[in-house]
Amino acid sequence: MSDNSDFVVSPDWLQERLGQPGMSILDASWYFPFQNRDAKAEYDAGHIPGAVFFDHEKLSDPDSPLPHTLLKPEAFAAAVSSMGITNDDTIVVYDGPGMHTSPRVWWMFRVMGARNVFVLDGGFANWKSAGRPVTDVVTKIAPSAFVPKFDAGKVASFADMRKIVESGSRQIADARAAGRFKGVDPEPREGLRSGHMPGARNVPSSSLADNGYLKNINELRKVLDGAGVDLSRPIVTSCGSGITAAVITLALESLGHKDNMLYDGSWTEWGGNKDTPVVTGEA
């Protein structure tokens, strides 16, 4: 196994391949309202040449009351086909700070059947600071045909989580910051209780990266071990709304862990439900 994740590509690697046929680049930046940043406006002002904007709000299930819910396979396929992406493309996803929201899109494409999907190490901030090419030119898109092959076994539902919490059949790795996990800091979304699911372990997504770069294999293992996550057992990842949970998923897959799921409803669903068990303090 390499020292670095097989699912992450370096800025050098991507810059050498800009403009190549079969290369799809996605800007998957997203920010909380309190951050006062407009991801689409920032993309319009400057992005990696050839990149297309991936809108997390528009590419989520409109029939779900929860934020960022995974689209149904046919709807996902239609949306990304209109973005010029096929199953056979080499897909590289990035976000503003790096290792924040891009792993979610990496996970989505893999769940939908794409296999050549990677996350850009360091994100757009480090790309720009290194003086790499940036453009505000609108990317030309040729509509294509993405054929979904949905892997339902990678997505945990509310019913699944009820059973997991009751039985302990899977470990739960929660990507939220420690204060939210312990219940000492409020949730950014109104109406949610504070705390975590019984038995969950806290693996803040920020602990898995340095300055937007994913930690190496040995460091990832140390972080997960230190959080009490047993890599020999099945795991389900969770967070606030299913986005940063994918950072843990990326780390797990990078370590060769395959028996993992992502809880799409995450804390917005669990903490917003009035009859789910919630605990506070350390795991």
Side-chain angles (χ1 to χ4, degrees):
M1 182 179 286
S2 165
D3 287 342
N4 298 312
S5 171
D6 290 338
F7 302 111
V8 169
V9 296
S10 71
D12 284 343
W13 185 95
L14 179 58
Q15 186 167 345
E16 290 171 1
R17 291 163 176 77
L18 291 180
Q20 288 187 1
M23 176 72 69
S24 288
I25 306 171
L26 301 178
D27 183 330
S29 302
W30 176 89
Y31 304 101
F32 280 110
F34 67 79
Q35 292 176 282
N36 295 314
R37 293 183 65 173
D38 185 329
K40 179 59 165 59
E42 290 185 20
Y43 164 83
D44 290 339
H47 51 265
I48 295 176
V52 176
F53 185 69
F54 186 100
D55 192 325
H56 288 269
E57 305 298 340
K58 292 181 179 178
L59 277 90
S60 61
D61 188 352
D63 298 324
S64 173
L66 302 171
H68 311 135
T69 305
L70 190 66
L71 278 170
K72 293 177 176 61
E74 295 75 17
F76 181 87
V80 299
S81 292
S82 70
M83 297 165 69
I85 303 168
T86 75
N87 307 63
D88 297 326
D89 285 352
T90 297
I91 303 167
V92 178
V93 191
Y94 72 88
D95 60 49
M99 296 303 153
H100 179 53
T101 55
S102 50
R104 166 71 182 193
V105 178
W106 166 85
W107 173 80
M108 291 169 74
F109 272 97
R110 285 168 56 84
V111 165
M112 293 297 177
R115 281 294 169 260
N116 297 319
V117 194
F118 305 93
V119 176
L120 175 64
D121 219 7
F124 190 52
N126 285 304
W127 177 277
K128 286 193 298 182
S129 66
R132 297 179 186 277
V134 173
T135 183
D136 60 0
V137 175
V138 176
T139 299
K140 294 181 180 179
I141 297 173
S144 60
F146 186 98
V147 181
K149 296 179 181 178
F150 183 53
D151 186 355
K154 287 291 189 180
V155 187
S157 67
F158 180 68
D160 291 330
M161 292 308 300
R162 284 276 204 186
K163 294 175 182 176
I164 289 168
V165 169
E166 290 172 3
S167 67
S169 58
R170 285 180 178 270
Q171 297 173 98
I172 304 167
D174 190 325
R176 291 175 300 149
R180 292 169 63 190
F181 179 85
K182 295 176 183 178
V184 298
D185 291 339
E187 287 295 310
R189 294 180 176 86
E190 293 184 6
L192 302 186
R193 291 174 291 164
S194 296
H196 58 268
M197 288 174 265
R201 299 291 181 177
N202 190 205
V203 187
S205 58
S206 60
S207 69
L208 298 168
D210 286 323
N211 189 33
Y213 293 91
L214 189 69
K215 291 182 176 179
N216 67 37
I217 295 300
N218 289 332
E219 292 172 330
L220 292 176
R221 192 182 304 277
K222 288 178 182 177
V223 171
L224 290 163
D225 286 346
V229 176
D230 183 350
L231 294 171
S232 69
R233 293 185 55 210
I235 298 169
V236 58
T237 64
S238 181
C239 60
S241 65
I243 289 186
T244 58
V247 181
I248 304 179
T249 304
L250 174 61
L252 293 173
E253 292 282 341
S254 299
L255 290 166
H257 187 283
K258 302 299 180 185
D259 192 359
N260 58 75
M261 306 172 78
L262 187 149
Y263 176 26
D264 204 30
S266 282
W267 195 252
T268 302
E269 184 172 47
W270 191 272
N273 195 297
K274 301 304 181 186
D275 67 348
T276 49
V278 171
V279 295
T280 56
E282 297 288 351

